[in-house]
Amino acid sequence: MGRSLTGRAWAARPAAAELVRRHQNMLGLSEPLARALASRGVGPEEGEVYLNPTLKAQFPDPSSFRDMDRAAEVLVDALVRGRPMVVFADYDVDGAASAAQVVRWMRAMGSEVPIYIPDRVTEGYGPSPTVFRTLKEKGAELVVTLDCGAAAVDALETAREIGLDVVVIDHHLMRPGEVPPAAALVNPNRPDDNSGQGVLAAAGVAFVLLAALNREARRRGLFAGRPEPDLRQWLDLAALGAVCDVTALTGFNRALTAQGLKVMSRWANPGLKALADIGKVSGPATTFHAGFILGPRINAGGRIGRSDLGARLLATDDPQEAAALAAQLDELNGQRKAVEQAVLDEAVAILEADRSHESAPVLVVSAPGWPPGVIGIVAGRLRERYRRPVVVIGVDLAAGVGKGSGRSQPGVNLGAAVQAAFDAGILLSGGGHAMAAGLSIRPDRIPDLTDYLAGALGAAQARAQEADTLELDALITPRGADRTLLESFARLAPFGPGNPEPLFATASVRIERPIAMRGGHIRVTLSDSAGGRLKAVAWRAEETPLGQALLAGGVLHVAGRLRPDDWQGRASVEMEIEDAADPRSADFAGSGPVA
């Protein structure tokens, strides 16, 4: 098919025909479902484990992680000796979920450990020499950093100088050959780690740490007079971190998330239960609940409120405290949405004013006063809108510094380019990974950064744009979009990076009853010549070519994801529209499997 309204080509997700047939025969699957499984790289002997992921089959040996055994020894020794400990975590969901796991294990062993979360604005990301000195002065002998610390060279060197032991539990990329000093540094992405678990979020690494802690405590006979902590009860926290940190749901991480969502569905964690009640979550927990209802509220404290609220919520056993914290986070999340929308509107206006987005391979947009807590979200929204890498910079005029956050697209390594810009002297600090980056910069160097990124990423962006394809799992009709189809493909869940949620296309459907809703969303009904009808919604689409085409009505090819629609007990489905194309300008070659 030719280019769509979002500028993409459409194609059936590629799958080898022989592998599709083997999945059909071995697993008893329909052809479209077997094709979807094959297209996700699942081999002929891996289908059963993929469809039914278990920790028993995929849990790694904790000892395969560099320094994991040492970390367990240090922490259990500190527990036995009663050494004053502090859990230090990042201010996002992954950090909070990681911290809550360690705190809960220590609590089960009879020790209450305080949590320290740095303030995003005043302290920035990760530990610093100043914070470590302060913790040491207040009596801490051991600090456990979670979801941060692996790159905090100055802070860890300071800790060594002042006699403060530090155990680092992290998952962020590290520079080759750079392993800062620590009592133990556990990170599946450290250069000399051979665990093969680099896709894990910090919460996943923390869960493996709990297994190592149980093993070490068992070795020392600490369970002779007390029950061994049942780690399965905290799988919900590991899954929450995996989903909200947008990690690849493959291998062990997929099993961890699948089983964690089952545990989450019991809503035994008082903090998650309180958030679920506020968010009106019902039924089994899904990646959608974790990523779009629970996660944003937990993150809200670190973005515009008190940074420790999320970790406290996930760590508490007191339902009343959980309810109060959840209400506070919900209120902050509402404020965050308003701030985010204001920044997004201003950023779009700046870009549209000089049409800079039309030809620039990388968009860099800045303004005074944009809060650091929302610029990453805004960068992601702009990347969705303009389909190219975006860096958003909030400038603090009083301090003379801009804080920036960037989001990229497959095939364009933004983190490497930002790191190179730092090495070139353009930035005060900068780094990240392929799809996201953070930086700080003097305001007068922002034009230099814009030019540098355009030169560094122009060719890659051109290739990525040419290859920007919407890969479809099946061609359906409005009548065929029912709960049976939805539940069949749900066997592939949990969905996320590495296991994309199925995308379906409907050909030449009529757009009926288009309604623009508050927030820029558009609701329509899709109908076909056979009388089939399917409700659909396009989120935040009103000001885009896609939204304008939907509002105009007519006949379109439409692609999207299916969602349950249980309004008034109807047990139906609706489509979340991802893209559309005009049949008059693009011939639907979509052939693809019909479900």
Side-chain angles (χ1 to χ4, degrees):
M1 173 168 175
R3 293 283 161 176
S4 68
L5 290 167
T6 66
R8 287 177 282 183
W10 291 9
R13 206 180 297 277
E18 177 57 30
L19 182 56
V20 174
R21 284 192 291 272
R22 293 192 66 175
H23 283 323
Q24 283 184 269
N25 295 333
M26 295 175 67
L27 302 172
L29 304 179
S30 67
E31 196 276 345
L33 185 57
R35 177 175 293 275
L37 191 65
S39 72
R40 283 156 177 77
V42 180
E45 309 303 324
E46 301 168 339
E48 179 60 37
V49 172
Y50 197 88
L51 294 175
N52 301 287
T54 65
L55 293 179
K56 182 178 180 180
Q58 295 181 281
F59 204 98
D61 180 358
S63 298
S64 66
F65 290 73
R66 183 80 176 200
D67 268 10
M68 183 69 84
D69 291 339
R70 176 60 181 157
E73 291 173 4
V74 171
L75 293 176
V76 173
D77 187 63
L79 172 71
V80 171
R81 293 168 55 192
R83 298 181 69 197
M85 241 184 298
V86 173
V87 164
F88 183 110
D90 189 18
Y91 33 65
D92 69 357
V93 175
D94 193 24
S98 302
Q101 289 182 72
V102 174
V103 167
R104 287 181 171 279
W105 189 89
M106 290 291 179
R107 183 182 297 150
M109 297 298 291
S111 176
E112 196 65 38
V113 180
I115 299 174
Y116 186 97
I117 311 291
D119 182 89
R120 183 189 293 264
V121 176
T122 62
E123 297 178 276
Y125 168 80
S128 67
T130 300
V131 169
F132 275 171
R133 288 193 183 96
T134 300
L135 293 176
K136 175 71 172 178
E137 290 168 1
K138 291 183 176 180
E141 295 181 8
L142 171 63
V143 174
V144 186
T145 71
L146 293 143
D147 195 28
C148 58
V153 178
D154 292 344
L156 290 173
E157 288 179 346
T158 296
R160 180 174 59 179
E161 292 169 3
I162 63 178
L164 179 66
D165 288 336
V166 181
V167 171
V168 176
I169 308 296
D170 204 350
H171 73 125
H172 291 96
L173 296 177
M174 300 173 64
R175 290 187 177 187
E178 187 177 88
V179 180
L185 196 158
V186 182
N187 182 349
N189 286 307
R190 65 180 278 178
D192 55 352
D193 184 275
N194 297 312
S195 66
Q197 300 295 334
V199 302
L200 288 178
V205 182
F207 191 80
V208 178
L209 172 67
L210 300 191
L213 291 172
N214 263 10
R215 187 170 65 182
E216 177 64 17
R218 192 182 311 120
R219 185 183 70 81
R220 297 193 188 202
L222 299 186
F223 300 133
R226 71 168 70 243
E228 182 171 327
D230 183 355
L231 306 184
R232 292 173 296 181
Q233 65 185 308
W234 301 317
L235 276 167
D236 51 0
L237 296 172
L240 184 69
V243 172
C244 293
D245 227 48
V246 200
T247 58
L249 300 185
T250 58
F252 166 59
N253 199 37
R254 173 177 167 78
L256 191 71
T257 303
Q259 297 305 317
L261 289 172
K262 292 179 182 179
V263 172
M264 190 184 294
S265 298
R266 300 200 287 265
W267 303 110
N269 181 293
L272 292 178
K273 175 64 166 62
L275 283 181
D277 289 343
I278 285 177
K280 296 181 172 55
V281 174
S282 60
T286 65
T287 53
F288 174 79
H289 295 136
F292 293 94
I293 297 178
L294 306 177
R297 289 172 168 85
I298 297 169
N299 266 334
R303 295 193 184 282
I304 62 173
R306 284 185 51 188
S307 59
D308 65 344
L309 294 179
R312 287 170 54 198
L313 176 80
L314 298 180
T316 186
D317 287 321
D318 182 348
Q320 290 186 328
E321 181 186 18
L325 289 169
Q328 191 173 352
L329 285 167
D330 185 58
E331 182 179 352
L332 288 171
N333 191 52
Q335 297 174 21
R336 186 271 305 169
K337 287 181 180 179
V339 172
E340 173 195 322
Q341 188 61 51
V343 173
L344 178 61
D345 291 345
E346 188 176 352
V348 169
I350 292 171
L351 292 171
E352 299 284 349
D354 63 1
R355 315 302 296 179
S356 63
H357 64 281
E358 294 180 349
S359 59
V362 181
L363 302 181
V364 180
V365 58
S366 64
W370 287 349
V374 302
I375 57 174
I377 302 175
V378 172
R381 297 273 189 259
L382 293 173
R383 196 217 68 81
E384 291 174 8
R385 181 181 182 121
Y386 296 112
R387 305 204 61 76
R388 67 197 65 198
V390 177
V391 176
V392 178
I393 302 172
V395 178
D396 183 336
L397 294 177
V401 175
K403 295 290 182 66
S405 186
R407 297 294 183 269
S408 193
Q409 65 190 105
V412 184
N413 192 330
L414 180 62
V418 167
Q419 179 64 56
F422 169 72
D423 294 339
I426 297 172
L427 304 176
L428 298 173
S429 64
H433 52 78
M435 297 297 289
L439 59 89
S440 62
I441 186 172
R442 296 293 182 195
D444 61 350
R445 299 302 305 272
I446 292 176
D448 297 332
L449 175 65
T450 303
D451 293 342
Y452 185 89
L453 293 179
L457 298 177
Q461 166 58 20
R463 291 191 297 270
Q465 188 167 348
E466 182 63 28
D468 192 5
T469 301
L470 191 71
E471 294 189 326
L472 305 171
D473 288 282
L475 177 63
I476 62 174
T477 64
R479 186 183 297 276
D482 57 17
R483 289 300 270 265
T484 299
L485 176 68
L486 179 66
E487 290 163 7
S488 171
F489 275 82
R491 295 183 64 186
L492 299 173
F495 301 117
N499 181 37
E501 186 170 358
L503 272 171
F504 301 94
T506 63
S508 298
V509 290
R510 183 165 295 280
I511 310 301
E512 298 180 346
R513 302 178 184 174
I515 300 173
M517 302 189 304
R518 192 152 116 198
H521 315 312
I522 297 172
R523 282 201 174 274
V524 300
T525 297
L526 310 179
S527 67
D528 62 17
S529 58
R533 300 169 70 82
L534 175 63
K535 289 186 176 181
V537 60
W539 303 115
R540 298 184 300 273
E542 185 175 4
E543 300 300 324
T544 68
L546 170 62
Q548 293 301 305
L550 292 172
L551 288 172
V555 175
L556 294 172
H557 302 320
V558 178
R561 301 169 183 83
L562 297 182
R563 293 278 184 265
D565 178 12
D566 296 322
W567 177 250
Q568 296 182 332
R570 63 169 51 99
S572 183
V573 301
E574 71 173 7
M575 174 178 280
E576 288 187 354
I577 297 174
E578 170 73 19
D579 200 0
D582 187 340
R584 295 169 300 179
S585 61
D587 182 38
F588 191 77
S591 62
V594 177

